[in-house]
Amino acid sequence: MIFKRREKASFTGRVREFIAPRKGFWRGLDYISKRMRRLPDSPHRIALGFACGAVASFTPFFGFHFFVAAGFAWLVRGNVLASLFGTIVGNPITFPLISGFSLYLGRLILGRGEGGSDFEAITTAFAAAFNDIWSTVKSWFGYGPSMLDGLIAFFWDVFLPYLIGGMVPGLISGIIFYALLGPLVAAYQERRRKKIQRAQAEQRALADQEADAYREQDGV
């Protein structure tokens, strides 16, 4: 195939590229910002949608942040596509901070202490929970024991505190992004509208000049 890589990237290479892309995160962020500003919607709905994506990034629904963001945006009548862009707030750089602080805060709110809030412990707990889910599903068809007890313990010890603790910084993050993006999108749309109006005016002026030239040639 023409576009196939000559050398297949190794697993470590793919992980490195995901965590620290050679082209840099700024290029991706610049692309997202341009696409978002050009969405055919009001600045309020675009900013609100992005804010919903930011809030969703603070929830423990890993693998489903797109759906959570879209659901939030639909509920508050924000722009759904902008909400998908907003999930960029949760990325390999920010997730260690988001998850650690969310779980730490949630356990403090629930009065359960502070232990097990580091990123490695959190990822280990979620990996074990996904394995327990799969084992439990298989047990329904007679393959192996159910791990429902482990899932219940995970829910009370990790998932629920994470969910509660993530709502506070998530809402603060959403409010900040909404306040910042609304005026930026409005200013961009106004500049774009004026640019289109100038281009249309220039086209009309050129058309009038051509019409005048034809009339002069015809002696009208």
Side-chain angles (χ1 to χ4, degrees):
M1 296 178 64
I2 297 176
F3 300 104
K4 187 177 181 180
R5 295 176 62 105
R6 293 183 178 180
E7 296 182 2
K8 187 177 180 180
S10 63
F11 174 76
T12 56
R14 293 196 297 269
V15 172
R16 189 185 306 111
E17 181 69 16
F18 177 73
I19 297 175
R22 287 175 295 177
K23 296 181 180 178
F25 280 110
W26 289 113
R27 182 173 180 177
L29 291 175
D30 181 62
Y31 171 78
I32 290 175
S33 67
K34 289 179 179 178
R35 288 295 303 271
M36 191 178 63
R37 287 180 296 178
R38 293 175 182 176
L39 291 175
D41 211 336
S42 68
H44 163 71
R45 282 173 51 85
I46 293 174
L48 187 60
F50 190 94
C52 290
V55 174
S57 298
F58 284 81
T59 66
F61 298 102
F62 293 108
F64 300 94
H65 282 163
F66 278 0
F67 301 101
V68 175
F72 285 166
W74 180 78
L75 285 174
V76 299
R77 297 186 179 181
N79 186 283
V80 173
L81 186 55
S83 74
L84 304 187
F85 289 141
T87 58
I88 192 64
V89 172
N91 57 69
I93 294 177
T94 61
F95 270 138
L97 299 175
I98 290 175
S99 59
F101 182 73
S102 297
L103 185 56
Y104 169 82
L105 182 60
R107 283 178 171 167
L108 284 182
I109 294 174
L110 295 174
R112 298 182 183 177
E114 308 171 4
S117 308
D118 60 283
F119 187 60
E120 183 177 357
I122 294 171
T123 54
T124 300
F126 272 90
F130 285 127
N131 288 332
D132 289 347
I133 291 174
W134 178 236
S135 298
T136 301
V137 171
K138 290 193 297 182
S139 71
W140 296 342
F141 301 93
Y143 296 99
S146 172
M147 303 298 292
L148 190 58
D149 291 341
L151 285 175
I152 294 175
F154 166 79
F155 175 82
W156 288 108
D157 187 50
V158 178
F159 188 88
L160 184 61
Y162 191 133
L163 180 64
I164 294 175
M167 284 295 98
V168 177
L171 289 173
I172 294 174
S173 174
I175 292 172
I176 292 174
F177 277 111
Y178 175 80
L180 292 176
L181 290 177
L184 290 176
V185 174
Y188 173 83
Q189 290 183 347
E190 181 64 17
R191 289 197 304 270
R192 191 163 183 264
R193 184 183 64 81
K194 291 180 178 180
K195 184 177 180 180
I196 293 174
Q197 288 179 344
R198 286 196 299 268
Q200 291 174 344
E202 291 174 357
Q203 291 177 354
R204 287 194 297 268
L206 181 60
D208 291 341
Q209 291 176 1
E210 292 177 351
D212 293 339
Y214 281 124
R215 285 196 291 269
E216 290 178 359
Q217 289 179 358
D218 294 339
V220 178

